[in-house]
């Protein structure tokens, strides 16, 4: 392969890798937000149950 084509392939692979990392980071953030929301819901539910007594 010629050097220019090799450079293009490496560039494409680096861009694809960067996109995968960004997607994984977004997934982690969404999962963390979901966990925090669920924890808050559970806390509110417990408060509601405690307040009913």
């Amino acid at each position: 392969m010629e050097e220019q084509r090799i450079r293009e392939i490496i560039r494409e692979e680096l861009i694809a890798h960067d996109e995968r990392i960004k997607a994984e980071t977004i997934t982690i953030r969404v999962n963390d937000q979901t966990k925090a929301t669920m924890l808050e819901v559970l806390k509110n539910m417990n408060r509601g149950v405690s307040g009913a007594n």
Side-chain angles (χ1 to χ4, degrees):
M1 274 199 221
E2 65 181 53
E3 185 177 339
Q4 181 60 29
R5 181 64 185 136
I6 293 171
R7 288 177 188 266
E8 288 174 16
I9 291 170
I10 292 171
R11 182 177 178 278
E12 290 169 5
E13 287 299 320
L14 288 172
I15 290 170
H17 175 74
D18 188 49
E19 291 301 316
R20 284 190 299 272
I21 295 299
K22 287 178 185 176
E24 289 171 7
T25 301
I26 290 168
T27 300
I28 290 167
R29 287 181 181 159
V30 168
N31 286 345
D32 287 348
Q33 289 173 348
T34 302
K35 288 176 190 175
T37 301
M38 292 304 293
L39 183 59
E40 196 60 36
V41 167
L42 290 172
K43 285 180 182 177
N44 288 339
M45 288 174 64
N46 285 337
R47 286 186 198 128
V49 169
S50 301
N53 291 335

